Amino acid sequence: MTALREMIRFQSVSRRFWTEARGEVWAVRDFNIRCAEEEWSCLLGPSGCGKTTLLRLAAGLDQPTEGHVLVEDVQVTRPRMDVAFLSQEGDLLPWRNVRDNVGLGLEIRGFPQAECRQRAREAIRRVRLPEETARSRVDELSGGMRQRVAVARALCVNPRVLLMDEPFARLDELTRHQLQEELMDLWLTDRQTVLFVTHSIEEAVFLADRIIVMNAGMAAVDLRVTLPRPRDRFSSDFVRMMRQVREALSQPANA
């Protein structure tokens, strides 16, 4: 079997911030991880351990204090056209309807208006939103529907890399499970390289090929998830993997 090539590399990455209350704060310190093409990696850890900082560095929205972030062996110094970033809030524009929100990334990239609309309609269909919602305002939608819109906008640009920062954290359990399953179906078709931030052990085990457990801005444990897809959340193997991840969360960085 041919090994997949490297897509994302964090090379001795550190990010320092200065705050009036606490002075110098290291959000990430000497972080080294490589993500292969088509691999789904989850960053898992407590709040404040540097997960979102790493996503922002990979997206080109911030720059490391030390080290380098590379995508396809090219140093990330600004946002890339082939990298999509999906925040927890979704960052939808309330003055735009659903279709125009979904097509925004294409507009920014200079695509013709007709193509933006056509591709937006297709993306809306793929995330299982009713066709008539294309003309709706986003504030008229439920939380789950708004997150579908955000996912559709990210997928609309056909990214090679998808960065996702707890996109389902604010949803109820039933909706969250449904969207996880739908997102997995989309990924099995498109096979982007995904770097996904979560606080949920169950979500990480359900989605990921590997789980990078973080502690104090560093990678503590790197676990492979070899369970076949689709995954059964109630199987003994799934529960065993969750237990292994929970134990890893108690280990210090560089253990």
Side-chain angles (χ1 to χ4, degrees):
M1 182 176 179
T2 304
L4 295 175
R5 65 194 181 101
E6 177 182 291
M7 183 62 74
I8 306 172
R9 185 195 316 164
F10 293 92
Q11 185 173 304
S12 302
V13 169
S14 297
R15 181 65 172 99
R16 181 182 64 236
F17 295 95
W18 177 263
T19 67
E20 289 190 11
R22 295 186 292 163
E24 183 180 80
V25 176
W26 290 88
V28 178
R29 191 188 293 269
D30 194 28
F31 188 85
N32 291 277
I33 284 294
R34 301 185 181 201
C35 301
E37 186 179 25
E38 300 184 8
E39 184 176 62
W40 190 309
S41 302
C42 275
L43 298 173
L44 177 69
S47 296
C49 71
K51 303 184 300 297
T52 296
T53 297
L54 289 170
L55 280 199
R56 290 181 57 81
L57 294 173
L61 301 174
D62 194 8
Q63 296 299 310
T65 307
E66 299 172 2
H68 305 285
V69 182
L70 300 97
V71 173
E72 292 189 289
D73 290 324
V74 177
Q75 186 173 341
V76 178
T77 58
R78 62 181 184 274
R80 291 174 48 124
M81 293 293 191
D82 56 353
V83 176
F85 179 84
L86 179 57
S87 72
Q88 184 177 137
E89 294 78 18
D91 297 330
L92 301 176
L93 303 180
W95 58 89
R96 282 180 162 239
N97 63 27
V98 167
R99 184 194 63 200
D100 291 343
N101 263 287
V102 172
L104 178 62
L106 296 175
E107 285 185 41
I108 292 172
R109 289 160 172 79
F111 282 80
Q113 188 175 57
E115 184 173 355
C116 292
R117 290 181 174 179
Q118 178 186 354
R119 288 176 59 173
R121 284 194 295 269
E122 173 60 17
I124 290 168
R125 182 196 64 79
R126 292 194 70 203
V127 299
R128 304 182 188 181
L129 282 170
E131 184 177 349
E132 59 270 19
T133 61
R135 297 183 298 275
S136 300
R137 289 167 51 93
V138 294
D139 58 5
E140 297 172 338
L141 305 179
S142 67
M145 293 177 78
R146 285 196 294 271
Q147 284 306 92
R148 281 189 172 88
V149 175
V151 170
R153 186 173 67 184
L155 297 179
C156 195
V157 299
N158 293 330
R160 291 174 57 75
V161 174
L162 188 54
L163 307 171
M164 308 186 79
D165 189 7
E166 297 192 84
F168 309 139
R170 299 186 177 185
L171 303 177
D172 65 86
E173 184 178 19
L174 292 176
T175 303
R176 187 167 65 247
H177 283 182
Q178 182 179 4
L179 289 182
Q180 289 167 0
E181 292 165 5
E182 291 176 7
L183 180 61
M184 178 53 57
D185 288 342
L186 291 167
W187 177 78
L188 288 171
T189 299
D190 296 345
R191 292 287 185 173
Q192 301 95 346
T193 300
V194 178
L195 191 57
F196 188 102
V197 164
T198 182
H199 284 101
S200 168
I201 295 173
E202 181 189 57
E203 183 169 62
V205 173
F206 183 78
L207 294 172
D209 296 308
R210 68 194 291 210
I211 300 171
I212 302 152
V213 176
M214 294 189 62
N215 188 336
M218 292 181 280
V221 182
D222 191 346
L223 297 171
R224 289 285 169 182
V225 184
T226 59
L227 302 177
R229 294 185 172 100
R231 291 174 180 167
D232 179 359
R233 302 174 198 265
F234 300 101
S235 72
S236 58
D237 288 340
F238 192 97
V239 173
R240 189 179 301 112
M241 189 71 214
M242 286 185 59
R243 186 177 300 114
Q244 185 178 350
V245 175
R246 187 176 298 279
E247 291 171 355
L249 280 166
S250 65
Q251 296 187 30
N254 298 326

